[in-house]
């Protein structure tokens, strides 16, 4: 029996499991501590009323023999794929039959690797969402890093000395909150088209972009349909972290090695995936109605308001940071040259506030720290007041 030996090359624990463990240990030793969590990127606001109503209605349909539904199609119900295609209108030309409905971005980010050989070289930004790295290490692919730091405004451009086959781009970035401009993304698209590479574009936070000039989809860039796959999610956009729904776009024009990647992914999904529940897809489609868009905007504005409270306090403390405007994440410099985990311990012990150590997102994240704007307003205000009282 041979196990997948590549698992020996990944860290024992997922970053957020480490954070949860350390927090639980602190709570056990300090049972009276009122801990505020601004660490993990989970949302706190409830689902939009129109989403809930759509799901209740779908439940009723499932309770009636005349409207009951069994297995759906592997790529999702047409009504949701069409609503997603319409969401792109005016920004990019995507058709409903280039869309696959998923149970969230994480599974598709990981599973899409099934259609690519293990021999490919992968380019991953450092720091970034840990799933890109871990899934490729599990498969044994060669990994090259492109560093995101203050000198490149946390937005690295293609390095022609690196031969990449698969390129991950996360914009708005988790954890730095930085967002690519159209010009900068066009450089990656040009590189990918010229080098037979594929861009995996993670747009999970696109709904947080407020600057109208910034691209929310890679398909806003000419040439992207021949080199990019886009993965998006209802999780942060509409509070679906516990409901589970997302989508992946694979343009019909996207081919590599003589094969249409759309066809390969359809084949993969029909073999290993049985679709997303009808009830969830009805809820997701409601997000794109007029009421839905209004209601999710109110929630996103609420999170933006939290981000403003956090960044204003950092301004007052003279702490440098990135993000927080077109993103729910604030990526700050640990004060007094503290390491990421050093600041995590300091903040937990002295303010009972939990954040995420930057080094957990990659080597280049050392000395940085991520706070999220997904908390409840009064808890964010309380956390900020406690941080302001600290002596750095
Ligand atoms: N992509 C990024 C960059 C994320 O930060 C996350 C979750 O935090 C995901 C994808 C996963 O989203 P989902 O809940 O849709 O699986």
């Amino acid at each position: 029996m041979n196990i997948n030996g590549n698992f020996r090359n990944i860290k024992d624990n997922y970053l957020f499991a480490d954070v949860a463990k350390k927090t639980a240990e602190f709570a056990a030793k300090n049972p009276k501590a009122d801990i505020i969590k601004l660490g993990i990127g989970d949302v706190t606001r409830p689902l939009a009323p129109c989403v809930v109503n759509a799901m209740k209605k779908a439940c009723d349909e499932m309770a009636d023999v005349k409207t009951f539904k069994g297995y759906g199609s592997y790529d999702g119900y047409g009504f949701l794929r069409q609503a997603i295609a319409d969401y792109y209108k005016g920004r990019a030309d995507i058709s409903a039959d280039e869309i696959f409905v998923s149970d969230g971005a994480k599974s598709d980010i990981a599973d899409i690797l099934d259609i690519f050989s293990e021999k490919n070289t992968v380019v991953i930004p450092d720091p970034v969402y840990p799933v890109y790295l871990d899934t490729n290490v599990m498969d044994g692919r060669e990994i090259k890093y492109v560093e995101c730091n203050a000198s490149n405004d946390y937005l690295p451009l293609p390095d022609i000395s690196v031969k990449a086959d698969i390129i991950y781009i996360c914009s708005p970035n988790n954890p730095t909150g930085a967002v690519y401009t159209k010009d900068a993304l066009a450089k990656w698209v040009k590189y990918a088209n010229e080098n037979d590479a594929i861009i995996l574009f993670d747009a999970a936070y696109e709904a947080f972009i407020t600057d109208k000039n910034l691209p929310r989809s890679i398909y806003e860039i000419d040439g992207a349909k021949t080199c990019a796959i886009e993965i998006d999610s209802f999780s942060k956009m509409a509070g679906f972290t516990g409901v589970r729904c997302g989508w992946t776009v694979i343009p019909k024009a996207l081919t590599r090695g003589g094969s249409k990647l759309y066809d390969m992914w359809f084949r993969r999904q029909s073999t290993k995936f049985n679709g997303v529940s009808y009830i969830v897809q009805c809820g997701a489609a409601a997000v794109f109605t007029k009421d839905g868009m209004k209601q999710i905007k109110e929630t996103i504005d609420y999170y933006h308001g939290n981000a403003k409270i956090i960044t204003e306090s950092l301004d007052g403390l003279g702490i440098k940071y990135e993000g927080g405007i077109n993103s729910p994440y604030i990526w700050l410099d640990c004060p007094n040259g503290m390491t990421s985990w050093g600041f995590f311990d300091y903040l937990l012990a002295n303010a009972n506030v939990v954040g995420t150590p930057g080094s957990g997102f990659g080597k280049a994240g050392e000395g940085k720290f991520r706070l999220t704007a997904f908390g409840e307003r009064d808890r964010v205000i309380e956390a900020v007041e406690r941080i302001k009282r600290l002596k750095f």
Side-chain angles (χ1 to χ4, degrees):
M1 164 56 178
N2 293 309
I3 56 159
N4 180 349
N6 295 321
F7 274 67
R8 295 195 187 98
N9 302 326
I10 51 171
K11 283 199 204 137
D12 280 350
N13 262 335
Y14 188 57
L15 167 64
F16 299 106
D18 280 340
V19 169
K21 188 166 165 258
K22 277 208 166 211
T23 309
E25 282 166 6
F26 178 85
K29 279 193 209 134
N30 302 275
K32 292 211 177 103
D34 173 24
I35 296 172
I36 304 178
K37 292 181 184 166
L38 299 182
I40 193 160
D42 202 356
V43 294
T44 53
R45 305 303 297 158
L47 294 171
C50 69
V51 168
V52 175
N53 288 338
M55 291 203 286
K56 282 183 180 164
K57 190 170 160 275
C59 260
D60 289 341
E61 286 177 51
M62 295 298 262
D64 186 333
V65 71
K66 291 194 281 305
T67 44
F68 170 78
K69 289 182 173 53
Y71 290 123
S73 53
Y74 302 114
D75 54 347
Y77 283 98
F79 66 82
L80 178 54
R81 286 186 290 104
Q82 188 55 54
I84 295 169
D86 291 345
Y87 179 59
Y88 281 93
K89 270 195 189 139
R91 298 186 283 130
D93 185 18
I94 300 296
S95 76
D97 61 1
E98 294 175 309
I99 292 165
F100 292 84
V101 175
S102 71
D103 63 359
K106 192 186 209 175
S107 349
D108 274 16
I109 287 165
D111 296 339
I112 197 79
L113 293 172
D114 274 6
I115 67 170
F116 300 111
S117 153
E118 278 132 43
K119 294 195 187 92
N120 287 311
T121 300
V122 180
V123 163
I124 296 182
D126 173 10
V128 87
Y129 183 51
V131 173
Y132 311 157
L133 173 66
D134 289 352
T135 51
N136 278 287
V137 174
M138 284 175 189
D139 284 356
R141 286 191 191 81
E142 187 190 354
I143 292 163
K144 302 234 161 105
Y145 295 96
V146 282
E147 210 176 289
C148 315
N149 52 40
S151 71
N152 57 21
D153 292 329
Y154 299 95
L155 297 165
L157 292 173
D159 176 350
I160 38 161
S161 65
V162 174
K163 170 74 184 83
D165 299 306
I166 300 172
I167 299 158
Y168 285 85
I169 299 181
C170 180
S171 179
N173 182 280
N174 175 10
T176 70
V179 187
Y180 275 100
T181 62
K182 284 188 184 170
D183 285 351
L185 269 191
K187 293 195 169 99
W188 279 111
V189 166
K190 184 170 183 286
Y191 174 93
N193 276 321
E194 285 173 357
N195 290 277
D196 201 33
I198 289 288
I199 295 172
L200 297 180
F201 189 79
D202 185 341
Y205 298 96
E206 52 84 18
F208 286 81
I209 295 179
T210 49
D211 182 340
K212 299 252 179 309
N213 296 315
L214 292 172
R216 282 165 42 210
S217 163
I218 188 128
Y219 303 116
E220 294 177 41
I221 313 302
D222 283 344
K225 282 184 125 185
T226 51
C227 69
I229 291 174
E230 180 161 298
I231 296 163
D232 207 331
S233 168
F234 291 94
S235 282
K236 312 300 162 82
M237 169 198 209
F240 271 52
T241 52
V243 177
R244 311 304 308 144
C245 198
W247 72 89
T248 291
V249 181
I250 308 192
K252 290 280 172 72
L254 186 52
T255 60
R256 287 295 182 272
S259 295
K260 274 192 173 178
L261 298 192
Y262 177 96
D263 293 345
M264 289 179 73
W265 184 239
F266 197 98
R267 188 71 183 82
R268 189 271 173 205
Q269 289 297 77
S270 55
T271 305
K272 296 196 184 181
F273 183 65
N274 250 346
V276 177
S277 90
Y278 173 69
I279 298 164
V280 165
Q281 292 194 58
C282 288
V287 168
F288 298 112
T289 60
K290 207 168 157 217
D291 281 351
M293 292 315 276
K294 190 169 155 274
Q295 289 167 10
I296 64 155
K297 187 176 178 301
E298 280 163 15
T299 301
I300 290 171
D301 287 349
Y302 175 97
Y303 294 134
H304 276 310
N306 285 347
K308 195 155 179 271
I309 291 167
I310 297 171
T311 53
E312 279 175 357
S313 80
L314 296 176
D315 287 336
L317 290 164
I319 295 176
K320 277 200 197 150
Y321 60 86
E322 173 70 26
I325 295 172
N326 294 296
S327 149
Y329 294 123
I330 297 118
W331 183 243
L332 55 107
D333 289 355
C334 298
N336 293 341
M338 275 186 245
T339 62
S340 300
W341 278 108
F343 187 55
F344 174 91
D345 291 336
Y346 178 83
L347 206 58
L348 182 56
N350 296 288
N352 300 158
V353 170
V354 179
T356 313
S359 54
F361 295 96
K363 268 196 199 131
E366 182 55 278
K368 306 277 182 182
F369 202 72
R370 191 193 76 172
L371 291 176
T372 89
F374 286 126
E376 287 172 46
R377 179 62 53 85
D378 54 344
R379 301 298 277 162
V380 172
I381 293 172
E382 169 66 19
V384 158
E385 288 309 315
R386 290 187 200 169
I387 293 171
K388 280 193 208 156
R389 287 197 291 270
L390 292 178
K391 302 266 172 301
F392 294 122

